[in-house]
């Protein structure tokens, strides 16, 4: 009898999960997850992106570096603005001080690059970052070891594929898609990634400035981004930060 009860409760739990997680013809609630991240600290993250995300109650991670030209405040955020985004509740991640690729550094220099951003966050009263994004998407073993040593729990790479919790078990190598552009094809690309994501997998998107006045090769137009946000809301996506994804990985709840 006890066995039967256990079986039934497992079954009801499974059915409950199915009902919550899987869209079906009967139009049950669709509840899928997507991760948003934004790199390189362009000014539009403060003036446009963070307010729009907050209005929609979306989570996100902003990966900060002082890209060459960071002193131009028409193009990049000030540290006070970065602090303000963190205080709005968004996660602030580390992207090295100078955007130097990790495979062009020794461990000692990488420590210094990380420490600089950690110190700036501390001066803003923000938590010490626990997530990192590899500049230029280059990664290596040294970087993963240093990150773990400094208490980081995740790192985002590139690879243009969807995160699969069954296969992507190393949180120091989270795959992501770079999203950029100013035409409807960008919106179509995002929709295709979301629609083609297998059940249980989670697309992680990497945006730069919206717009990005310093890096026109990765800019996204505000109009297209508004459409992406509208689409995520309409389709009832749960939008979370990299940190939240990592916590769920650790807890085994993905
Ligand atoms: Zn970058």
């Amino acid at each position: 009898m006890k066995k039967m009860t256990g079986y039934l409760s497992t079954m009801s739990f499974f059915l409950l999960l199915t009902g919550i997680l899987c869209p079906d013809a009967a139009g049950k609630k669709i509840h899928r997850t997507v991760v948003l991240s934004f790199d390189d600290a362009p000014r539009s993250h403060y003036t446009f992106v963070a307010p729009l995300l907050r209005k929609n109650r979306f989570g996100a991670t902003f990966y900060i570096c002082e890209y060459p030209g960071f002193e131009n405040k028409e193009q990049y955020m000030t540290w006070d603005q970065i602090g303000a985004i963190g205080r709005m509740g968004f996660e602030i991640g580390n992207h090295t001080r100078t955007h130097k690729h990790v495979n062009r550094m020794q461990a000692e220099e990488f420590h210094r690059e990380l420490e600089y951003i950690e110190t700036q966050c501390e001066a803003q009263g923000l938590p010490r970052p626990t997530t990192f994004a590899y500049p230029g998407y280059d990664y290596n073993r040294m970087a993963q070891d240093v990150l773990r040593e400094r208490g980081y729990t995740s790192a985002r790479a590139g690879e243009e594929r969807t995160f699969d919790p069954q296969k992507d078990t190393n949180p120091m190598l989270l795959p992501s898609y770079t999203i950029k552009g100013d035409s409807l094809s960008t919106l179509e690309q995002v929709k295709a990634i979301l629609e083609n994501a297998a059940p249980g997998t989670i697309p992680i998107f990497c945006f730069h400035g919206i717009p990005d006045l310093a890096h026109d090769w990765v800019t996204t137009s505000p109009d297209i981004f508004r459409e992406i946000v509208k689409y995520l809301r309409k389709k009832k996506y749960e939008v979370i930060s990299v940190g939240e994804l990592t916590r769920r990985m650790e807890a085994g709840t993905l």
Side-chain angles (χ1 to χ4, degrees), residues 39-40 65 67 95 99 135-136 208:
D39 290 15
D40 297 348
C65 63
Y67 207 95
H95 197 35
H99 206 267
H208 292 75

Side-chain angles (χ1 to χ4, degrees), residues 38-41 63 65 67 95-96 99 101 133-137 156 206-208 215:
F38 300 86
D39 290 15
D40 297 348
Y63 286 107
C65 63
Y67 207 95
H95 197 35
T96 72
H99 206 267
H101 295 206
Y134 298 102
Y137 308 119
R156 200 213 62 214
C206 164
F207 290 92
H208 292 75
H215 320 97

Side-chain angles (χ1 to χ4, degrees), residues 40 63-71 76 79 94-102 104-105 109-118 120 132-136 215:
D40 297 348
Y63 286 107
I64 305 301
C65 63
E66 293 190 359
Y67 207 95
F70 185 72
E71 57 286 350
Y76 292 95
W79 268 103
N94 200 329
H95 197 35
T96 72
R97 177 180 187 171
T98 63
H99 206 267
K100 192 164 178 176
H101 295 206
V102 297
R104 297 174 195 165
M105 285 185 276
E109 186 180 4
F110 186 40
H111 274 288
R112 284 200 303 274
E113 288 272 335
L114 292 169
E115 189 180 18
Y116 176 83
I117 298 294
E118 291 161 6
Q120 294 294 326
F132 177 77
Y134 298 102
H215 320 97

Side-chain angles (χ1 to χ4, degrees), residues 18-44:
T18 312
I20 292 173
L21 301 174
C22 300
D24 65 15
K28 278 184 188 158
K29 190 178 176 190
I30 297 171
H31 193 77
R32 286 174 293 175
T33 303
V34 61
V35 174
L36 294 186
S37 60
F38 300 86
D39 290 15
D40 297 348
R43 189 167 177 267
S44 57

Side-chain angles (χ1 to χ4, degrees), residues 52-237:
L52 180 61
L53 297 181
R54 182 157 79 163
K55 209 170 117 194
N56 287 279
R57 297 190 180 146
F58 287 179
T61 302
F62 291 85
Y63 286 107
I64 305 301
C65 63
E66 293 190 359
Y67 207 95
F70 185 72
E71 57 286 350
N72 180 342
K73 293 308 163 199
E74 292 294 312
Q75 297 184 340
Y76 292 95
M77 290 189 278
T78 64
W79 268 103
D80 283 345
Q81 289 170 337
I82 295 164
I85 286 184
R87 287 185 288 277
M88 282 167 80
F90 294 105
E91 179 178 38
I92 301 299
N94 200 329
H95 197 35
T96 72
R97 177 180 187 171
T98 63
H99 206 267
K100 192 164 178 176
H101 295 206
V102 297
N103 53 356
R104 297 174 195 165
M105 285 185 276
Q106 299 297 317
E108 198 184 317
E109 186 180 4
F110 186 40
H111 274 288
R112 284 200 303 274
E113 288 272 335
L114 292 169
E115 189 180 18
Y116 176 83
I117 298 294
E118 291 161 6
T119 305
Q120 294 294 326
C121 286
E122 192 184 7
Q124 287 293 328
L126 301 177
R128 187 183 166 110
T130 56
T131 184
F132 177 77
Y134 298 102
Y137 308 119
D138 281 332
Y139 58 81
N140 60 17
R141 186 58 193 266
M142 176 281 292
Q144 294 178 58
D145 290 344
V146 168
L147 288 166
R148 285 201 181 91
E149 200 181 311
R150 296 189 76 82
Y152 286 76
T153 52
S154 67
R156 200 213 62 214
E159 297 191 20
E160 305 298 312
R161 64 179 181 84
T162 295
F163 166 73
D164 181 345
Q166 302 302 318
K167 294 180 192 151
D168 296 307
T169 51
N170 180 358
M172 291 299 166
L173 291 177
L174 299 175
S176 71
Y177 291 99
T178 304
I179 307 297
K180 58 191 176 183
D182 55 6
S183 68
L184 279 173
S185 64
T186 303
L187 178 61
E188 293 311 316
Q189 180 200 358
V190 168
K191 285 184 184 175
I193 291 168
L194 293 168
E195 282 160 17
N196 293 330
T201 66
I202 299 174
I204 301 172
F205 292 125
C206 164
F207 290 92
H208 292 75
I210 304 176
D212 200 315
L213 302 177
H215 320 97
D216 57 1
W217 59 97
V218 283
T219 195
T220 302
S221 85
D223 285 347
I224 293 297
F225 188 71
R226 266 192 215 97
E227 290 301 316
I228 293 171
V229 167
K230 223 187 272 178
Y231 181 80
L232 291 172
R233 206 177 49 193
K234 188 175 132 204
K235 296 287 183 181
K236 296 185 166 51
Y237 272 89

